[in-house]
Amino acid sequence: MNRQECYEHGMTVLEQVDGEAGQRIVNSLADISPELGHQVVAWAFGDMYARPELPPRDRQLVTLGVLTALGGCEIELEVHVNAALNVGLTPSEISEALLHSAVYCGMPRAINATLVAKKVFAERDLLPITNVG
């Protein structure tokens, strides 16, 4: 595939997974780093995300865990909590994944990620979550 075809393929994947949220990230880069926006679409989604070895819901679980562990990724977490819902994860599964992340990356990061998820769930009228154990 040429550069434009890679971008178009990535955009198809991005739209399926992230919908409007992913496009907003790409748009936000247009006047500062259009090449970074291109790479997000063509490489991250067109090449990496589209690989068949993991289904989209598993990729989103990995992504949520990594973004939580990194910390400071609230904008991306918001996009990927929405994406996780879009690819079939339930709010309870997302909440449980973020709870589980506390064991490996600490309470503050798990709390921050959970509060991002709460914002997304509220926007999508998915609260309350009742996965008390």
Side-chain angles (χ1 to χ4, degrees), residues 2-92:
N2 67 33
R3 181 175 167 87
Q4 184 59 34
E5 290 168 336
C6 288
Y7 184 84
E8 290 169 5
H9 172 66
M11 187 55 72
T12 299
V13 176
L14 177 67
E15 288 170 356
Q16 291 170 348
V17 174
D18 285 341
E20 292 177 13
Q23 184 62 57
R24 281 194 303 272
I25 295 293
V26 173
N27 291 347
S28 73
L29 295 168
D31 62 352
I32 182 86
S33 184
E35 184 59 23
L36 181 56
H38 176 87
Q39 293 300 323
V40 166
V41 173
W43 181 68
F45 283 87
D47 285 346
M48 298 307 293
Y49 201 94
R51 292 176 56 82
E53 288 77 11
L54 285 177
R57 74 181 315 279
D58 293 354
R59 288 191 186 278
Q60 284 305 316
L61 281 171
V62 171
T63 302
L64 292 175
V66 170
L67 292 174
T68 299
L70 285 171
C73 298
E74 287 75 15
I75 292 170
E76 285 293 307
L77 265 167
E78 186 173 342
V79 169
H80 286 284
V81 169
N82 271 298
L85 292 166
N86 293 345
V87 299
L89 285 161
T90 67
S92 183

